[in-house]
Amino acid sequence: MAAPVVSSVSPNQGPAAGGTTVTVTGTGFTGATAVRFGTKLATSFTVNSGTQITAVAPSGSGTVVVTVTTNQGTSAQQVSFTYAATQAPTLTGISPGQGLPAGGTTVTLTGTNLTGATAVRFDGVAATSYTVNSSTQITAVTPAHAAGAAAVTVTTPSGTSNALTFTYLTAPSVTGLSPSQGPASGGTTVTLTGTNFTGATEVRFDDVAATSFTVNSATQITAVTPAHAAGAAAVTVTTPGGTSNPDNPSAYFFFAAAPSLTALTPGLGPTAGGTTVTLTGSDLLGATAVRFDGIAATSFTVDSSTQITAVAPAHGAGAAAVTVTTAGGTSNPLAYAYLAAPSLSSLVPTQGPTHAGAVVTLTGANLTMTSSVRFGATPVSFTVVSPTQITAVAPAGPSGPVTVTVVTPAGTSNGLIYARTDAPVI
C-alpha cells in the first residue's frame, strides 16, 4: 500500500480563529489517523471515502501545508491552506431600533467584517433567522423578548462585535379622556392620558382617524375628534409597540347629536322676564345652556330628550333667538318676542252714565297684544284699533270713579279714572 496523496483542499483559506470546514481530495485516505494544518491537528475530521476527507481547520496563521496520515505514512504533497488576517466584526447601525415584544421585526444591521457570521443575538437570545447580505450588512428577524432594551451582537469566527441597543416596546394604554363627549360633527380637542404614547403613529375613534393629534409626552396626547355618527366610540392609540386595548371602558368618547328645536310655548312675554317657556325638540338631554339672544335663561329644567322648561331672562323689547346647547352643539334658533308693558295716557270721554253702553277710547302705548280691558274688576268688550289705541264699551256700575286698566302678555298697565254719574232727575 502507498502513502496517502493530497491533491487539493477547498476552500483553501479561512480565518485565523479556525473553524473552517475544508474538503480534502486525494487518494489512499482509507483508515486515516490524522489530518494536520501545518503542525496542528484538525479540530475534527471525517473520512468520507478513500479519496475524500472533511476536516475542520484549527486556529493558525500564515500559509500551512495540509497533510493526511494513515498507517502507510503521511502525504508529502505541498497543498497549502492560508489563514487570512481577519478582524472581529463591528456594528455601526440598526434599523429599525425598536419593535414588539412578540418579536418578528425585520432588522437591518450595518457594520464591518460581517462575512461568515455564525450568530446574531438579542441579549443572548438567537435571532429567529438572519441573512448575511454582505460584509457590511446583515438582515435579522428579532426573537421574542421582554419589553425593554436588548443588546444586539454579531459573532463570526473572528469574534463577537460591539453591542447596539434594540428596544422592545410595550403596547400603549389609554386610561382617560377629557372631555369624554362632544358633537358628532367633530372638532372637539380631547386630552388622552395613559402610558407608552411615545412614537404614536395613529389615534382612532372607532375606525376613524383623529383629524389631528400631538404627542405631548409618554403619558399624554392631544387629539381633535373627527366627524362620527352619534354614539360611543372606542379611542385607540397605535405606536410601534402595538395598539391600545379598545375594550377599556375609560377609553370611550361619546359623540352627541346636535340638538334641534321645533316649538316654544308661549312665544312671547314681558321684557322683565320671568315667563316659563316650554321648549320642544330632539336630542335635548344633557343640555348645558338655554339662551335668549345669548343671555342665559334665569333657570331651566331638562324634562326629557324632547322637552325643556326654561324661565325667560330680562331682555329689551323685540325678538330674541332662543337656543339650546348640549355636548352635541347648539340648536337652531326659535324666535321669542319680548313685549314692553302696556301704558295708558288718556281716556275719551273720562266720564259717562251708570248704565252700560258708553264707548270709551283708550290711548297709550304697547297695546297691540291686549287680552283684556277692565273697568275696576269687570272685563269689557274692546277692539284694538292700533298699537296706541283701543275702543272699549263701559259696563254698568254705580256712580263714582272706577279705574280702567289694560292687560297684555307683558303685564297690566297703569290705571286711569273713568267717572260714572247719575242721570239728572226731573
Side-chain angles (χ1 to χ4, degrees):
M1 297 285 290
V5 174
V6 174
S7 57
S8 66
V9 295
S10 179
N12 63 0
Q13 62 180 4
T20 304
T21 299
V22 178
T23 300
V24 182
T25 304
T27 60
F29 292 163
T30 302
T33 56
V35 177
R36 290 182 175 86
F37 287 71
T39 59
K40 282 189 172 183
L41 290 170
T43 302
S44 64
F45 70 92
T46 301
V47 179
N48 302 320
S49 68
T51 60
Q52 187 183 82
I53 292 175
T54 303
V56 177
S59 61
S61 63
T63 299
V64 297
V65 173
V66 179
T67 60
V68 174
T69 300
T70 69
N71 57 9
Q72 299 299 311
T74 298
S75 62
Q77 293 71 39
Q78 298 296 305
V79 177
S80 63
F81 179 87
T82 300
Y83 285 98
T86 58
Q87 296 179 334
T90 61
L91 291 178
T92 56
I94 181 169
S95 179
Q98 55 189 16
L100 301 179
T105 302
T106 299
V107 177
T108 299
L109 305 173
T110 53
T112 60
N113 306 312
L114 303 180
T115 302
T118 57
V120 176
R121 295 185 175 90
F122 290 72
D123 260 1
V125 180
T128 301
S129 64
Y130 68 91
T131 301
V132 179
N133 304 317
S134 67
S135 64
T136 60
Q137 187 183 86
I138 290 177
T139 304
V141 177
T142 61
H145 187 286
V152 182
T153 58
V154 171
T155 299
T156 71
S158 298
T160 298
S161 72
N162 58 301
L164 294 182
T165 299
F166 181 85
T167 302
Y168 283 90
L169 301 173
T170 301
S173 66
V174 178
T175 58
L177 305 173
S178 181
S180 61
Q181 58 182 3
S185 58
T188 303
T189 298
V190 180
T191 299
L192 286 66
T193 53
T195 59
N196 304 310
F197 288 162
T198 302
T201 56
E202 197 169 62
V203 176
R204 285 187 174 273
F205 291 73
D206 279 344
D207 292 328
V208 185
T211 302
S212 64
F213 70 91
T214 301
V215 180
N216 304 319
S217 69
T219 60
Q220 186 183 87
I221 290 176
T222 303
V224 177
T225 61
H228 187 286
V235 181
T236 57
V237 173
T238 298
T239 71
T243 298
S244 62
N245 180 8
D247 297 325
N248 184 345
S250 298
Y252 274 85
F253 185 85
F254 296 88
F255 286 92
S260 66
L261 292 178
T262 55
L264 53 81
T265 305
L268 43 80
T271 56
T275 301
T276 298
V277 180
T278 299
L279 308 173
T280 54
S282 60
D283 300 305
L284 305 180
L285 288 178
T288 56
V290 176
R291 294 185 176 90
F292 290 68
D293 260 1
I295 302 172
T298 302
S299 64
F300 69 91
T301 301
V302 179
D303 305 315
S304 68
S305 64
T306 61
Q307 182 174 294
I308 291 177
T309 304
V311 177
H315 186 285
V322 181
T323 58
V324 172
T325 299
T326 70
T330 298
S331 71
N332 58 299
L334 293 182
Y336 178 83
Y338 277 94
L339 304 176
S343 63
L344 293 176
S345 56
S346 67
L347 301 177
V348 176
T350 59
Q351 60 182 10
T354 56
H355 60 82
V359 176
V360 180
T361 299
L362 290 69
T363 302
N366 305 311
L367 305 179
T368 301
M369 302 296 291
T370 297
S371 58
S372 178
V373 175
R374 291 186 173 91
F375 281 66
T378 304
V380 300
S381 62
F382 67 92
T383 300
V384 176
V385 179
S386 72
T388 60
Q389 191 175 89
I390 294 174
T391 57
V393 178
S399 61
V402 63
T403 301
V404 180
T405 56
V406 171
V407 178
T408 73
T412 300
S413 71
N414 58 304
L416 294 181
I417 299 301
Y418 177 79
R420 291 192 186 96
T421 59
D422 292 320
V425 177
I426 300 176

